[in-house]
Amino acid sequence: MRFGIKSLLAAMLFTSVSSSAIASEEVNVYSYRQPFLVEPLFQGFTEETGIKVNVVFAKKGLAERLKREGANSPADLVFTVDIGRLNEVVEMDLVQAVNSDTLNSNIPSQYRDPEGLWFGLTTRTRSIYASNERVKDGEITTYEELADEKWKGRICTRSGKHPYNLALIASMIAHHGEAETETWLKGVKANLARKPQGNDRAQVKAIYEGVCDLSLGNNYYLGKMLQDEEQTKWANAVNILFPNSADRGTHVNISGMALTTSAPNKANAIKLMEYLTGETAQTMYAEQNFEYPVNPAVQPSELVASWGEFKADQLPLADIAGLRKAAAKLVDKVAFDQ
Ligand code: FE
């Protein structure tokens, strides 16, 4: 009987040893980014390292799921877009710091957390889209000018509360302070052609339809519209602008990744993080979604490069993360969405 229990224990031990041996050859990802974007990269990683990548895709709720699963979560990495969403997993205490020379040298410091809690993978500009019929070249070159009364009734945008706009407003606070940003935001609101609504592409459609002449939008939507038969005509109605390129630089946000607190396959997860910031993966990633590689050694795709060069704002995204709440308050205060 004793012997029986001993062998049972031995068998259990063996099971757990062998399952952790299998586990060491894999890495588990929770991804808000779509399969077409990340799957080719994970395949490349598996081919190079033999480490299998298991992915759970979702549009929302992954942070809540991580929280619920706690220490037992199988997830090693979270992939998401926008500094706001990366900051959310930090604030929920779901991620841990990574200290990697490879990551630190592949990613410029403004696009990673100073403590290593999140890392950028691709960058995207918050651009101005301008009607190529009704806005002359050089007629608007800065975000500040969106508040100029010459644009009265001529601007379209999605909600001021959307993470993309919150980060832009947070960057305005960082550069100008709250009081000046409030005045600016009031000015932009006074210039709106309609109540904030829809997504970034819907604003370009509105320019095409003559509802407005300027809109705010992330750069990759231009590529996505050009790829879509129905939306090509929207894209062809606008020029993409990179505001403030002549001074402090265009506001840039990221898609990124973070290592979970529970990470059962930590070493493999860090290997994957490093792989994704290297040249092969960066080239693939940026080409798939019309974004910019975060690694400055890698060039953007030909189409994206054809939209023009720009200077990026050097403000660390960690600072912007810290100002998002103040930005949201200003949006409410000036009743931007009403
Ligand atoms: Fe987007």
Side-chain angles (χ1 to χ4, degrees), residues 111-313:
Y111 302 134
R112 51 183 160 84
D113 180 61
E115 286 168 34
L117 292 171
W118 49 261
F119 296 86
L121 273 174
T122 57
T123 65
R124 58 272 293 281
T125 60
R126 192 80 186 133
S127 276
I128 292 176
Y129 286 99
S131 160
N132 53 22
E133 280 182 359
R134 301 179 297 275
V135 181
K136 288 191 223 70
D137 275 355
E139 212 179 335
I140 180 161
T141 58
T142 66
Y143 299 111
E144 285 78 1
E145 288 169 288
L146 290 170
D148 190 311
E149 43 177 53
K150 80 179 272 195
W151 302 112
K152 197 159 203 71
R154 298 173 69 187
I155 300 175
C156 283
T157 179
R158 76 195 311 166
S159 165
K161 284 285 183 71
H162 189 277
Y164 299 162
N165 280 340
L166 281 183
L168 171 64
I169 298 164
S171 81
M172 293 295 286
I173 296 175
H175 288 294
H176 297 296
E178 272 190 45
E180 218 177 290
T181 303
E182 184 181 335
T183 308
W184 172 75
L185 203 55
K186 267 188 202 153
V188 179
K189 179 185 157 58
N191 288 341
L192 295 182
R194 60 180 189 185
K195 247 195 217 187
Q197 57 193 269
N199 56 21
D200 281 358
R201 282 188 250 195
Q203 318 311 319
V204 177
K205 179 176 184 240
I207 294 177
Y208 165 76
E209 289 167 344
V211 175
C212 41
D213 298 340
L214 297 176
S215 74
L216 283 166
N218 286 354
N219 72 282
Y220 53 85
Y221 288 116
L222 184 57
K224 287 174 174 283
M225 288 184 290
L226 287 168
Q227 228 178 18
D228 182 314
E229 229 175 273
E230 212 177 297
Q231 300 176 2
T232 305
K233 55 184 185 287
W234 310 349
N236 287 336
V238 295
N239 290 319
I240 185 168
L241 311 179
F242 300 94
N244 299 79
S245 273
D247 47 72
R248 63 188 159 84
T250 302
H251 170 60
V252 168
N253 210 316
I254 53 173
S255 79
M257 58 186 172
L259 181 69
T260 69
T261 315
S262 54
N265 309 290
K266 187 172 166 179
N268 287 346
I270 294 173
K271 266 188 212 158
L272 177 57
M273 294 173 99
E274 293 175 344
Y275 173 83
L276 292 174
T277 62
E279 283 192 31
T280 312
Q282 282 284 298
T283 306
M284 280 201 306
Y285 204 160
E287 295 232 339
Q288 291 282 350
N289 201 40
F290 313 105
E291 292 175 276
Y292 296 92
V294 79
N295 184 333
V298 180
Q299 298 304 310
S301 75
E302 226 173 279
L303 175 67
V304 173
S306 77
W307 298 338
E309 294 204 354
F310 66 95
K311 179 177 147 195
D313 191 341

